[in-house]
Amino acid sequence: MYRPLADEIRPTSLDEVVGQEHILGKNGLLRRIIDSGTIPNMIFYGPSGSGKTTVANIIALKSGRALHKLNATTAGTADIKNIIAELDTLMTPNGVLLYLDEIQYFNKKQQQSLLEFIENGKITLIASTTENPYFYVYNAILSRSTVFEFKALTARSVLPAVLRAVRLMEEREGLPAELEEGVAEHIASACGGDVRKAVNSVELLFSSSERTADAIRIRLEDAKALSQRSAMRYDREGDSHYDIISALQKSIRGSDPDAALHYLARLLEAGDLISPCRRLLVIAAEDIGLAYPQAVAVVKACVDAALQLGLPEARIPLAEAAVLLATAPKSNAACLAIDAAMEDIRKGRSGDVPRELQNVHADSAGQERGQNYKYPHDYPGHWVKQQYLPNEIKNARYYEYGDNKTEQAAKKYWDLIKNGGQEA
C-alpha cells in the first residue's frame, strides 16, 4: 500500500523534530512538560507544516492513553459523542487523549460539549489551529488550556528534513540520487517554512526526474519549476492577510521603503490588488497626513491607475505610492485630533452650538435674534477672535501642530496673525 513520504518521514521523538527550539529546545517549556509525563490540555497554534500534528503524535505515544484524532473540518457532534461513550470502559482505562485538528471549525456548541470531560480529566485535549486561538477558540476552552505557538520554520531548519527525505527516497527506489548543486537548499527555502511541502517536493522530483541504470538525476531547474509560488503563506480571510497588511503600514510608518516594497510584493504575488490599494490610501491620510497633504491626491491617482491597469502592470503605480509614502515626512496630528474630538463626543462632552454660529432662523416668538457673528474675511488677516466651541468645552484642544516643515509653517503663520503680527 502506498504511503506518502511525508507520513513515513514523520518524527517519532522530540529529538527528530526540526525547528521550534523556543518550546522544544533543551530547556523548552513544552519539552519539559512532555518529559514530565503530566500532559495538560493544550492548543497548538501555528502555520501548516510546522510540526503541530507530529508533536501531538509523540505526546500520545509517551502518554500511554487511548488516542483519538478528529479533524474539525469533517467531524461533528456525533464523533464527539462516540468518544464520550468510550469513557469509563475497558477501552480507555486511563482516559482519552483527543487530538482535534483545525479546532477553529468547531462552533461554540461543539466546543462546549467537551468542557465537562476536560474539566474532570477524562479527556485531555490537544487542539491545533492555523488561526489565532484567541479569536477562534471558545473562552472556556482557552481558560482550561495552555497555548503554544509553533513558528514557520527557517530554510536552515528545514534542510535536514529535505536531506532525510532524499535518503529515504533513495532507499525506496534502490538508486542513488544525483542532485545538482543548490537543489536541496532551494527546496528548503522555497517551501515557506512548511516541512510537508518540502518533503512532498522531494517525492515529486524523484517520480519525475530522469533515470539511468545508475542514478536518478534531479535538476535545479525542475526543483524551481515545482516550487513556484509554494513559499507563499497567504489567506485573504486568515491571520496572514492581516499580518501582511499590518506589516505594510508599519513599514511605511517607519519610513522603510524596502520593507514596504517587500510586503506590497507579497500581497501582489498572491493576486490581492484591492487590499494594498485601500491600505495605501489609509496610510496617506493617517501616517503622512498634513506633513505632506498632497500625498492623498498622489496616492489616489496611483490607486486609480492600478485598478484600471490590473495586474501585473498595477504593481508599478502601487510601488511608486509605497515608496513615496515611506520616504515622505510623517504626521499623525490630524488623526490624533479627530480621535480626541470623537472621544469627547462619546463621553457626552458637548453642548449647544454657540448662537453666533447657528444658521439664521426665527425664534419661538417669531422675531429674529441678533447673532453677533463676526465675518473673518472682514478683518485683517482674515481672522478675528471669536468663540467657536460650545461653552461647556470652550477650552478643549484637540489639534497639536506636527513637528514637520508644512505644519510648522502653518503654525508660524497663524501665530503671527493671532498675536497681531508678533511671534508667539
Side-chain angles (χ1 to χ4, degrees), residues 96-418:
V96 165
L97 181 65
L98 172 61
Y99 177 59
L100 180 57
D101 198 12
E102 305 290 356
I103 188 175
Q104 72 271 17
Y105 290 106
F106 262 12
N107 60 35
K108 183 177 179 180
K109 184 177 180 180
Q110 289 170 316
Q111 292 185 37
Q112 281 180 318
S113 66
L114 295 168
L115 280 177
E116 176 187 345
F117 306 97
I118 290 174
E119 193 75 49
N120 63 27
K122 293 182 179 180
I123 291 179
T124 299
L125 176 68
I126 299 179
S128 70
T129 175
T130 55
E131 304 293 349
N132 191 328
Y134 296 100
F135 296 153
Y136 291 92
V137 179
Y138 180 46
N139 281 337
I141 296 286
L142 275 176
S143 69
R144 292 162 174 80
S145 306
T146 303
V147 177
F148 290 97
E149 181 178 2
F150 284 62
K151 300 182 182 297
L153 302 174
T154 64
R156 185 178 178 181
S157 296
V158 175
L159 185 58
V162 172
L163 296 175
R164 185 167 170 238
V166 170
R167 290 194 297 271
L168 282 174
M169 286 304 298
E170 287 176 325
E171 293 175 9
R172 274 191 185 183
E173 301 291 337
L175 284 173
E178 293 181 358
L179 276 64
E180 285 188 2
E181 185 177 353
V183 166
E185 289 77 10
H186 177 78
I187 295 172
S189 62
C191 69
D194 187 332
V195 174
R196 190 183 299 109
K197 276 186 182 179
V199 173
N200 288 341
S201 295
V202 171
E203 188 171 17
L204 287 172
L205 281 171
F206 267 81
S207 65
S208 60
S209 294
E210 177 188 351
R211 294 164 183 266
T212 67
D214 302 319
I216 300 173
R217 293 190 172 90
I218 298 178
R219 301 184 303 162
L220 180 59
E221 181 182 348
D222 291 338
K224 288 181 176 179
L226 189 64
S227 60
Q228 276 187 334
R229 300 173 68 92
S230 67
M232 194 76 62
R233 284 193 182 275
Y234 188 76
D235 174 2
R236 294 191 193 191
E237 302 300 324
D239 287 344
S240 61
H241 166 77
Y242 299 103
D243 287 344
I244 294 171
I245 287 290
S246 174
L248 172 64
Q249 180 160 8
K250 289 171 181 173
S251 297
I252 291 176
R253 184 183 295 151
S255 303
D256 188 332
D258 299 310
L261 289 169
H262 170 81
Y263 294 113
L264 175 62
R266 287 172 68 165
L267 292 165
L268 297 180
E269 270 296 298
D272 188 350
L273 180 58
I274 300 301
S275 296
C277 285
R278 294 179 61 187
R279 187 52 62 108
L280 288 170
L281 285 168
V282 170
I283 295 167
E286 180 180 348
D287 295 304
I288 283 72
L290 297 174
Y292 179 36
Q294 298 90 335
V296 171
V298 175
V299 172
K300 179 64 165 61
C302 289
V303 165
D304 287 346
L307 293 174
Q308 190 168 6
L309 289 168
L311 290 170
E313 290 82 0
R315 75 190 188 283
I316 303 170
L318 292 185
E320 292 174 357
V323 172
L324 172 74
L325 295 177
T327 56
K330 306 296 189 293
S331 173
N332 66 342
C335 180
L336 293 176
I338 187 61
D339 287 348
M342 293 180 73
E343 183 64 18
D344 266 2
I345 300 302
R346 293 187 193 104
K347 293 179 178 178
R349 295 171 184 162
S350 185
D352 294 334
V353 176
R355 173 60 186 157
E356 304 92 283
L357 305 185
Q358 293 175 10
N359 189 33
V360 177
H361 59 277
D363 61 17
S364 58
Q367 295 181 347
E368 191 171 299
R369 295 178 295 167
Q371 275 192 296
N372 297 317
Y373 170 62
K374 297 175 183 178
Y375 189 59
H377 296 299
D378 290 340
Y379 295 85
H382 302 265
W383 179 83
V384 61
K385 188 171 184 179
Q386 188 169 211
Q387 181 182 322
Y388 293 94
L389 282 167
N391 284 328
E392 292 84 347
I393 55 169
K394 65 180 180 180
N395 295 318
R397 292 292 179 269
Y398 301 119
Y399 175 64
E400 297 290 341
Y401 288 95
D403 58 357
N404 57 81
K405 183 178 179 180
T406 301
E407 288 181 90
Q408 285 301 307
K411 181 178 185 302
K412 183 176 181 181
Y413 173 83
W414 285 111
D415 282 346
L416 286 171
I417 294 292
K418 294 179 180 181

